[in-house]
Amino acid sequence: MLRRFLAAVTLSALIAMPGSHASANSDSVIEYRQHLMRAIGGHMAAVAAIVKGRLPLTEHIAEHAELIENAAELVPAAFEEQVSDGLTDAQPEIWSRIDDFVELNAEMSKASAALAKAAEEGDMRDIAMAMQSLGKSCGSCHQPFRKPKEESYKQPR
Amino acid sequence: MLAIRTSKMTKPIIWLFGISVAAAAFGYAFILPGLGQTAKNVDLGAYSADAERGEYVLRMGGCVVCHTDIDNGGVFLAGGAGLETPFGTFYAPNITPDTEHGIGAMSLEDFYVAMTAGVTPDGEHYFPSFPYTSYGRVKTEDIVDLKAYLDTVEPVARPNRPHELIWPFSNRQLVGVWKSLYHTPEPFVSNEVESAIWNRGAYLVNGPGHCGECHTARNLIGGISANALEGAGKSSFSSGAPPIAGSRSTIRDWSLNDLVFYLQLGLTPDGDVSGGKMIDVIEHGTSHLTGEDLEAIATYLKSL
């Protein structure tokens, strides 16, 4: 009972938070899209771990690739609102060249589909090649639209 | 020699002028022949060239990254995109064996001197945007093989685009002054205390791989700092490159296998991908190397 009450209180507090209306809080916009990217990165790292460690989980690679393909569908909306100030590496050019951005996202989607296919067929060489193309598709969007490492909000320790 | 500590050079451009005036007073001839000398002590005929190995040396040296206009689908080795520096924009020339526009007229000895001493067949200085500061450590047999391979490449009659340099840096003689400060071609010497794989890695990184050309900071006149591979911040020379040695380096936490994987596919262990110029270095360079060589590079880097 008490727990239910607390849950209701926290929820209504959340709903009442400033910025949950028309225009979202810009920190949350950044937080969300970065987590979306990290989720994509997480699948990429999982695939890498399978290949690097020669784990007998080749069929998982196809799953991870499909999950990247699904995540790609979320990318355009995550970057819809222009927020380029704050703890972000997004370059303002994203919003002046949004069509290119969306197109590059579609390229990533295609590359992950190709990885899924290679993984289903199971040839390690093809899988490695498909991973290389997928990695390249990430780089093709990061190159114009994400700040380089030395200017990142993530400063080296 | 010259008691100038590079890190303390507050007005290096002015220094450069001062030095060049002094050098002019002594005569450039004083600087030139000394560097051209190196090839004379080496018996280039002692090795039988292997063009197939030479193709591998090309990948060790990352030559394609500069000498092919990758982003615009340029022809293989027929000349690169502009390299922007504070001195202006350099265009890596056509190194296909075309006799007019490429290096078809270069003898093996010319090529050896170009790679190690940075001196042209006419006895002028190459600009150090051609990283002979690292290639000076490349083994003679590797240079011989590389030349044999380059001779087999399809010749392309693509004229070179002239560099667009700011005066006085367009003056090749000034390079002689720069070299007297920053370039002594010395062959790679193995460290007997370390393992064979470590030494192979040290050779690949500091010689053909020229990793320090990007990963080591430079002073204002482009001299390389003493903190080898500890990263270069964004400067007028480049958009920077992270440390791959020392306490600031992220790769300290990477396993040997992680590093090998990165140099093959450009994927980091935390699910990120390589960026900037490193994409080309991997795609056109390190991803072509054998597993053993990548392990050697990783072994060496991890030891720093």
Side-chain angles (χ1 to χ4, degrees), chain A residues 37-38 40-42 44-45 47-49 51-53 128-129 131-132 134-136 138-140 142-143 146 148-151 154 156-157, chain B residues 232-234 239-243 247-250 253 257-258 261 264-265 267-277 279 282-283 287:
Chain A
M37 275 299 151
R38 279 178 221 154
I40 293 174
M44 205 64 177
V47 172
V51 174
K52 252 187 297 196
M129 301 272 277
M131 284 176 74
Q132 192 168 32
L134 177 55
K136 239 180 122 168
C138 317
S140 322
H142 290 170
Q143 186 80 355
R146 179 187 177 196
K149 200 163 221 123
E150 290 300 294
E151 290 168 44
K154 294 184 202 171
R157 288 156 300 165
Chain B
K234 187 183 162 69
S239 54
S247 56
R248 273 181 66 241
S249 142
T250 327
D253 304 334
N257 217 352
D258 290 339
F261 205 73
Q264 264 170 342
L265 289 178
L267 304 179
T268 72
D270 60 355
D272 213 329
V273 289
S274 64
K277 267 294 186 190
I279 296 180
I282 294 171
E283 187 173 350
S287 69

Side-chain angles (χ1 to χ4, degrees), chain A residues 7-153:
Chain A
V9 168
T10 9
L11 255 182
S12 51
L14 254 181
I15 294 164
M17 282 244 298
S20 63
H21 301 289
S23 148
N25 171 313
S26 54
D27 288 347
S28 309
V29 169
I30 294 174
E31 189 182 354
Y32 172 62
R33 70 191 185 201
Q34 287 176 345
H35 276 294
L36 177 58
M37 275 299 151
R38 279 178 221 154
I40 293 174
H43 289 299
M44 205 64 177
V47 172
I50 293 171
V51 174
K52 252 187 297 196
R54 299 194 170 80
L55 303 180
L57 295 170
T58 316
E59 69 278 16
H60 284 207
I61 296 176
E63 282 304 320
H64 289 293
E66 278 161 25
L67 289 164
I68 294 177
E69 208 181 335
N70 293 345
E73 286 176 28
L74 312 179
V75 169
F79 283 88
E80 196 166 316
E81 190 172 340
Q82 169 154 12
V83 183
S84 46
D85 291 330
L87 293 178
T88 176
D89 293 335
Q91 302 271 30
E93 286 76 18
I94 293 175
W95 295 279
S96 56
R97 291 172 47 202
I98 191 73
D99 292 349
D100 292 344
F101 185 83
V102 170
E103 175 56 34
L104 289 166
N105 184 56
E107 292 296 323
M108 169 178 76
S109 185
K110 266 186 238 159
S112 45
L115 174 58
K117 188 159 171 279
E120 273 154 19
E121 286 163 8
D123 182 287
M124 272 332 272
R125 236 194 129 73
D126 290 347
I127 292 175
M129 301 272 277
M131 284 176 74
Q132 192 168 32
S133 313
L134 177 55
K136 239 180 122 168
S137 77
C138 317
S140 322
C141 183
H142 290 170
Q143 186 80 355
F145 295 129
R146 179 187 177 196
K147 287 187 195 139
K149 200 163 221 123
E150 290 300 294
E151 290 168 44
S152 171
Y153 75 92

Side-chain angles (χ1 to χ4, degrees), chain B residues 244-260:
Chain B
I244 52 172
S247 56
R248 273 181 66 241
S249 142
T250 327
I251 67 165
R252 284 171 78 84
D253 304 334
W254 295 11
S255 70
L256 209 71
N257 217 352
D258 290 339
L259 254 173
V260 169

Side-chain angles (χ1 to χ4, degrees), chain B residues 6-157:
Chain B
T6 57
S7 53
K8 293 201 181 113
M9 292 174 75
T10 43
K11 294 203 173 69
I13 306 291
I14 293 172
W15 264 109
L16 189 62
F17 272 110
I19 295 163
S20 62
V21 170
F26 281 102
Y28 291 111
F30 178 70
I31 291 160
L32 255 181
L35 286 167
Q37 215 53 267
T38 26
K40 307 275 188 298
N41 317 325
V42 174
D43 182 8
L44 295 169
Y47 305 96
S48 55
D50 179 343
E52 208 173 302
R53 257 202 90 253
E55 180 170 15
Y56 188 77
V57 176
L58 178 93
R59 299 303 181 173
M60 286 168 24
C63 319
V64 182
V65 175
C66 289
H67 285 279
T68 306
D69 188 355
I70 296 164
D71 289 344
N72 298 309
V75 186
F76 189 62
L77 299 180
L83 301 162
E84 277 159 37
T85 75
F87 311 132
T89 305
F90 292 94
Y91 295 92
N94 182 341
I95 55 167
T96 70
D98 187 75
T99 39
E100 193 186 344
H101 302 291
I103 58 167
M106 259 192 177
S107 68
L108 175 57
E109 188 179 346
D110 290 342
F111 182 74
Y112 183 87
V113 172
M115 290 283 290
T116 56
V119 173
T120 74
D122 300 334
E124 283 196 299
H125 293 292
Y126 283 116
F127 294 107
S129 49
F130 172 20
Y132 50 78
T133 32
S134 297
Y135 296 151
R137 301 190 191 95
V138 176
K139 293 178 180 154
T140 307
E141 59 266 41
D142 284 349
I143 295 180
V144 172
D145 290 345
L146 177 55
K147 177 68 164 70
Y149 167 69
L150 288 174
D151 288 342
T152 69
V153 170
E154 183 68 23
V156 180

